[in-house]
């Protein structure tokens, strides 16, 4: 009996990905009440490796933050970041002068292109209750022709993102098309902007003790389903435990039996770019020589410098969800 499963693999940090995706990481942090300054009580930070706090044994992590959790300013070049915040909030600031606060289901799509600096901080806005954070960050590669595109960021507000109810499943369509329902257009220079590339990013929640049928895709797409929360699922006679990725044959629909708990899955799919990939930290080019050039250019230009007062800049505590674009346009939600 044939199976649509090509491979299964355990989910590490980051998750294993396939072309055109470069990287995917899942953050689930049970942050405590805020201390009034958008960070945790300083007494809770004793013994932590501040500046590099990634201990998976802890209920929450500070990452590279010292007083507020998150990732102070850092550069990117040659790819895109897609940041999905299901719970909690992310404060964005960048070297273009753009900024935003998004969360509770919002998505930010940022094309780094020729180079940008940005910070991503996780302010603890609630002082009277805990501040849980659930966040995915996905790196989507750019082809050679797009690696020097102008930097661009776009907000996909949760009120506008399509959510499809398909029998026992709910599918949040971040990219691609789900059974005729298209996602919001991605950033303009993205590999996902061309429908022929069949890029899909779907967050799928399926009820317990039910069946879900994943529709088929282009035969030449890479397709990986990440099972990140639940009890167990079955594909044919194959049992898959949570915290496993499943590379699937894209040319066939896949019937998935859900176990005794609701299953939460992330699908990343797309036709491969098929170009050489050279990576060094936050730089992704086609050759090592281009990586050296990117590092030298960043050293000389800082990709425009940093216009904010702090490397770990956060916005006013009482500010709601918003986006400030490089041209000065302000959108408040």
């Amino acid at each position: 009996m044939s199976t649509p499963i090509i491979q299964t693999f355990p989910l590490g940090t980051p998750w294993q990905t396939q072309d055109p995706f470069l990287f995917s990481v899942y953050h689930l942090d049970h942050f405590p009440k805020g201390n009034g300054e958008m960070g945790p009580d300083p007494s809770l930070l004793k013994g932590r490796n501040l500046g590099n706090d990634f201990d998976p044994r802890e209920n929450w992590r500070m990452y590279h933050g010292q007083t507020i959790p998150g990732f102070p300013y850092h550069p990117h070049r040659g790819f895109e970041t897609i940041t999905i915040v299901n719970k909690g909030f992310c404060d964005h600031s960048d070297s273009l002068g753009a900024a935003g606060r998004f969360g509770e289901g919002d998505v930010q799509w940022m094309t780094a292109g020729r180079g940008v600096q940005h910070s991503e901080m996780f302010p603890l806005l609630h002082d009277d209750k805990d501040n849980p954070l659930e966040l995915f960050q996905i790196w989507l590669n750019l082809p050679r022709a797009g690696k020097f595109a102008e930097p661009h960021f776009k907000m996909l507000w949760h009120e506008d993102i399509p959510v499809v109810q398909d029998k026992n499943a709910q599918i949040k369509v971040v990219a691609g098309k789900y059974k005729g329902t298209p996602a919001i257009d991605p950033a303009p220079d993205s590999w996902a902007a061309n429908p022929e590339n069949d890029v899909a990013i779907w967050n799928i929640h399926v009820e317990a003790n039910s069946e879900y049928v994943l529709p088929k895709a282009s035969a030449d797409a890479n397709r990986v389903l990440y099972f990140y929360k639940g009890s167990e699922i079955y594909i044919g006679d194959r049992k898959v435990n949570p915290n496993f990725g499943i590379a699937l044959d894209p040319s066939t629909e896949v019937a998935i039996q859900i176990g005794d708990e609701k299953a939460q899955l992330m699908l990343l799919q797309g036709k491969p770019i098929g170009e050489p990939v050279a990576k060094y930290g936050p730089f992704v080019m086609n050759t090592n020589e281009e990586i050296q050039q990117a590092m030298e250019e960043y050293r000389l230009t800082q990709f425009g410098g940093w216009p904010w007062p702090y490397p770990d800049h956060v916005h006013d505590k009482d500010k709601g969800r918003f986006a400030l674009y490089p041209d000065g346009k302000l959108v408040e939600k």
Side-chain angles (χ1 to χ4, degrees):
M1 181 178 176
S2 63
T3 174
I5 296 176
I6 298 170
Q7 177 193 13
T8 63
F9 52 89
L11 298 184
T13 303
W15 291 351
Q16 179 179 322
T17 56
Q18 295 184 359
D19 187 2
F21 297 95
L22 298 162
F23 171 99
S24 182
V25 67
Y26 175 57
H27 295 297
L28 179 61
D29 289 281
H30 302 284
F31 286 121
K33 297 176 183 178
N35 64 354
E37 301 293 332
M38 294 182 280
D41 188 303
S43 67
L44 301 176
L45 301 180
K46 293 177 181 177
R48 287 180 179 267
N49 183 20
L50 291 181
N52 195 32
D53 180 19
F54 288 83
D55 190 342
R57 297 168 297 181
E58 299 286 354
N59 283 332
W60 51 272
R61 290 144 288 273
M62 290 292 288
Y63 303 106
H64 294 309
Q66 301 274 351
T67 57
I68 297 172
F71 297 87
Y73 68 24
H74 54 280
H76 289 300
R77 170 179 270 187
F79 62 100
E80 300 184 288
T81 60
I82 300 145
T83 306
I84 303 168
V85 184
N86 284 343
K87 297 176 184 176
F89 294 91
C90 180
D91 274 10
H92 165 89
S93 309
D94 69 32
S95 55
L96 307 174
R101 171 170 288 163
F102 59 100
E104 302 299 329
D106 299 327
V107 176
Q108 185 202 61
W109 197 303
M110 189 185 81
T111 305
R114 61 179 175 81
V116 68
Q117 288 192 76
H118 77 153
S119 66
E120 303 156 292
M121 305 305 296
F122 310 136
L124 308 188
L125 299 181
H126 302 296
D127 301 334
D128 57 346
K129 61 180 180 179
D130 290 347
N131 290 272
L133 176 81
E134 183 184 64
L135 177 149
F136 303 85
Q137 186 167 92
I138 298 158
W139 291 12
L140 176 61
N141 201 8
L142 287 165
R144 185 187 300 272
K147 288 195 177 295
F148 287 92
E150 288 297 312
H152 181 94
F153 97 89
K154 179 170 185 173
M155 287 305 312
L156 313 183
W157 301 111
H158 71 76
E159 297 92 338
D160 304 323
I161 297 172
V163 177
V164 178
Q165 190 68 42
D166 188 357
K167 296 182 181 177
N168 300 306
Q170 192 176 70
I171 299 90
K172 181 174 182 175
V173 187
V174 175
K177 181 184 288 188
Y178 186 88
K179 294 187 175 180
T181 298
I184 301 170
D185 289 342
D189 292 296
S190 177
W191 185 248
N194 184 345
E196 292 183 1
N197 294 331
D198 203 13
V199 173
I201 301 173
W202 300 340
N203 197 185
I204 305 167
H205 291 193
V206 193
E207 295 301 323
N209 300 305
S210 68
E211 180 182 75
Y212 169 67
V213 178
L214 181 68
K216 64 183 179 180
S218 301
D220 52 355
N222 285 329
R223 169 175 260 197
V224 180
L225 191 65
Y226 299 90
F227 179 27
Y228 64 91
K229 190 173 183 181
S231 50
E232 70 282 329
I233 60 175
Y234 295 87
I235 299 175
D237 58 1
R238 181 82 170 268
K239 178 183 178 182
V240 181
N241 290 318
N243 296 309
F244 270 80
I246 312 152
L248 293 166
D249 177 353
S251 65
T252 181
E253 60 181 27
V254 180
I256 304 170
Q257 305 295 325
I258 309 301
D260 292 335
E261 294 180 16
K262 184 176 185 177
Q264 298 185 24
L265 309 124
M266 179 68 74
L267 178 97
L268 299 183
Q269 165 193 299
K271 292 185 180 179
I273 294 172
E275 294 177 355
V277 173
K279 291 191 291 185
Y280 185 82
F283 305 121
V284 181
M285 302 301 290
N286 294 104
T287 68
N288 288 328
E289 182 182 36
E290 290 170 342
I291 291 289
Q292 295 299 319
Q293 291 170 351
M295 293 170 64
E296 178 67 7
E297 186 174 333
Y298 177 62
R299 187 183 69 81
L300 293 172
T301 70
Q302 298 294 296
F303 293 159
W306 188 248
W308 305 98
Y310 303 106
D312 57 350
H313 184 71
V314 292
H315 309 304
D316 290 345
K317 185 181 175 187
D318 58 356
K319 198 160 184 64
R321 295 156 55 230
F322 77 97
L324 173 66
Y325 292 90
D327 63 2
K329 178 184 177 183
L330 175 66
V331 176
E332 295 181 298
K333 304 303 284 187

